[in-house]
Amino acid sequence: MPVITNIEDLRVLAEKRVPRMFYDYADSGSWTEGTYRANESDFHKIKLRQRVAVNMENRTTATKMVGIDTKMPVCIAPVGLTGMQHADGEMHAAMAAKKFGIPFTLSTMSICSIEDIAAHTQAPFWFQLYMMRDRDAMARMIDRCKAANVSALVLTLDLQVIGQRHKDLKNGLTAPPRPTLANIINLMTKPRWCLGMAGTKRRTFGNLVGHVKAVTDMNSLASWTNEQFDPTLNWDDVAWVKKQWGGKLILKGIMDVEDAKLAVASGADAIVVSNHGGRQLDGAPSSIEALPAIVAAVGSQIEVWMDGGIRSGQDVLKAWALGAKGTMIGRAMVYGLGAMGEAGVTKALQIIHKELDVTMAFCGHTNIQNVNTGILLPGTYPQA
């Protein structure tokens, strides 16, 4: 086993162990992947101010996200097909998050179901909802969340139409994979993954198959989802979800100040500055570049979080310094899961927390609540 020191080490190991179509599904963006790359590279441009001769004892990175205690301003983002990175992947990620002390978010397009997660972790978790045309199905899904003790709903707003992701098209992405010659040859090089998948019955979209009318298998699911993503989604639908749900509501996919103001007016509890990991509108700015203007516009009225490009605890600290009261990590978690299962997710969280804690100390702070743009070198970070 190689020595794991950072998220990149986990990525390299995951690439070796996860079948090509599922690794590429997670580690790619739309079209040219320019926004996908900028999400990560724009963090590197931001420089930190090192301070010395400051008492660095008794440090804390603890905070709250929508009133929920968290060990650091990080939660696990919703990632579709997580259960194809590793057998029962969503359950393993949820258990690792609970033990570490951060929230976990389950995707609508997960392999493990809402009920699977509820049965395998005692911690309340969050659920990410995609708006479908079938409102009855949406209402039933929200009711299932209530029954499962879901503590917050994350409504993703930026998937009314699906961005074109070239690697998925070239790989012929399906869950489970179709038995083509190329897929069979690739799977033969992933014995650990195949053994895990042989030991679980969870190989399709657990939140949809058997729960939605006319969806009984992968073939009927594919035709249903192609018809169901709702291009008519608007703020009236957000109000409908809020009324149906009645609990904490987080709106994900905000990249524009005007949309942020509309999100505040909708009565949401938090917004996530997010370009869907660079998987939707290629050519959009990076999330970290969009963050300061949105914080300046609405940060005093609503919790502003961000996701996209976070690969280290330093990235978390930079986002916090620029006003994000929370961050979401998707790929960093997926790399850990694909590399080593639940232990890999735990390792990813430990790496990010250690980097966050040590960097905060070098910047002269012992409590993350006191960190602001003062830790950043002027002229190196995006302005509102």
Side-chain angles (χ1 to χ4, degrees):
M1 172 65 73
V3 176
I4 304 294
T5 61
N6 55 26
I7 299 300
E8 174 64 10
D9 290 341
L10 291 171
R11 187 201 66 76
V12 170
L13 191 54
E15 188 173 16
K16 291 177 182 175
R17 292 183 170 176
V18 177
R20 170 57 52 192
M21 68 166 60
F22 299 122
Y23 174 80
D24 279 353
Y25 170 79
D27 197 28
S28 64
S30 64
W31 291 1
T32 71
E33 300 191 336
T35 295
Y36 163 63
R37 291 189 298 272
N39 273 349
E40 190 174 347
S41 62
D42 281 359
F43 272 109
H44 300 165
K45 301 173 186 175
I46 302 170
K47 303 305 179 187
L48 299 160
R49 293 176 61 207
Q50 182 176 337
R51 302 299 303 277
V52 296
V54 176
N55 186 340
M56 295 179 181
E57 291 182 312
N58 303 315
R59 296 187 302 277
T60 177
T61 59
T63 189
K64 292 179 184 287
M65 295 174 69
V66 290
I68 295 168
D69 289 324
T70 179
K71 186 172 179 177
M72 57 181 171
V74 173
C75 69
I76 289 182
V79 180
L81 296 175
T82 294
M84 284 288 140
Q85 303 292 329
H86 185 282
D88 298 335
E90 291 91 357
M91 286 155 48
H92 288 294
M95 290 186 284
K98 178 201 177 289
K99 292 170 187 172
F100 198 83
I102 68 166
F104 168 81
T105 315
L106 183 70
S107 170
T108 290
M109 306 304 288
S110 61
I111 303 300
C112 300
S113 68
I114 296 166
E115 292 77 14
D116 286 333
I117 304 304
H120 286 85
T121 177
Q122 293 73 47
F125 59 100
W126 300 347
F127 183 74
Q128 172 263 341
L129 187 71
Y130 281 131
M131 203 61 182
M132 305 292 186
R133 291 180 192 267
D134 186 341
R135 293 296 190 262
D136 288 339
M138 294 296 93
R140 288 195 301 274
M141 196 170 285
I142 290 170
D143 286 342
R144 288 167 60 201
C145 289
K146 293 176 182 176
N149 198 28
V150 168
S151 59
L153 200 65
V154 180
L155 179 59
T156 295
L157 298 175
D158 60 357
L159 203 81
Q160 292 167 270
V161 295
I162 301 175
Q164 184 166 305
R165 301 156 194 171
H166 294 170
K167 289 177 184 174
D168 292 350
L169 296 171
K170 290 175 179 176
N171 290 330
L173 178 72
T174 59
R178 289 195 189 98
T180 63
L181 180 60
N183 288 341
I184 291 169
I185 291 170
N186 185 244
L187 289 172
M188 287 172 65
T189 68
K190 316 294 181 183
R192 180 191 298 256
W193 184 92
C194 291
L195 191 62
M197 281 297 167
T200 181
K201 62 182 185 292
R202 300 176 184 89
R203 301 190 193 99
T204 187
F205 293 101
N207 288 323
L208 300 176
V209 174
H211 292 284
V212 176
K213 292 173 189 173
V215 177
T216 56
D217 57 22
M218 278 303 298
N219 290 331
S220 55
L221 174 68
S223 59
W224 184 84
T225 51
N226 287 338
E227 297 167 359
Q228 282 292 325
F229 280 103
D230 192 352
T232 70
L233 173 67
N234 59 65
W235 291 101
D236 288 340
D237 298 310
V238 175
W240 180 87
V241 170
K242 182 174 171 60
K243 184 177 179 181
Q244 292 284 325
W245 171 237
K248 296 285 177 72
L249 180 64
I250 299 149
L251 300 181
K252 184 173 181 286
I254 304 295
M255 287 291 291
D256 186 90
V257 166
E258 293 308 309
D259 287 335
K261 291 176 180 176
L262 290 168
V264 171
S266 78
D269 296 279
I271 59 173
V272 188
V273 177
S274 171
N275 54 35
H276 216 101
R279 296 164 63 76
Q280 286 293 91
L281 176 60
D282 189 38
S286 67
S287 296
I288 195 65
E289 184 179 347
L291 176 66
I294 292 173
V295 168
V298 301
S300 62
Q301 302 165 267
I302 195 170
E303 284 185 38
V304 178
W305 308 345
M306 67 80 64
D307 79 357
I310 291 175
R311 302 291 186 273
S312 71
Q314 289 202 343
D315 295 340
V316 173
L317 191 69
K318 290 171 182 178
W320 177 280
L322 289 172
K325 295 303 179 187
T327 61
M328 292 183 131
I329 57 166
R331 291 184 176 95
M333 174 275 291
V334 163
Y335 299 150
L337 183 70
M340 301 189 301
E342 182 180 338
V345 177
T346 299
K347 186 68 174 177
L349 297 178
Q350 289 171 339
I351 288 168
I352 288 172
H353 183 258
K354 179 74 171 179
E355 292 167 342
L356 171 61
D357 175 63
V358 170
T359 304
M360 183 176 71
F362 281 138
C363 292
H365 286 278
T366 57
N367 188 331
I368 197 165
Q369 302 298 331
N370 298 326
V371 172
N372 55 33
T373 52
I375 71 162
L376 307 177
L377 196 65
T380 69
Y381 59 89
Q383 303 282 339

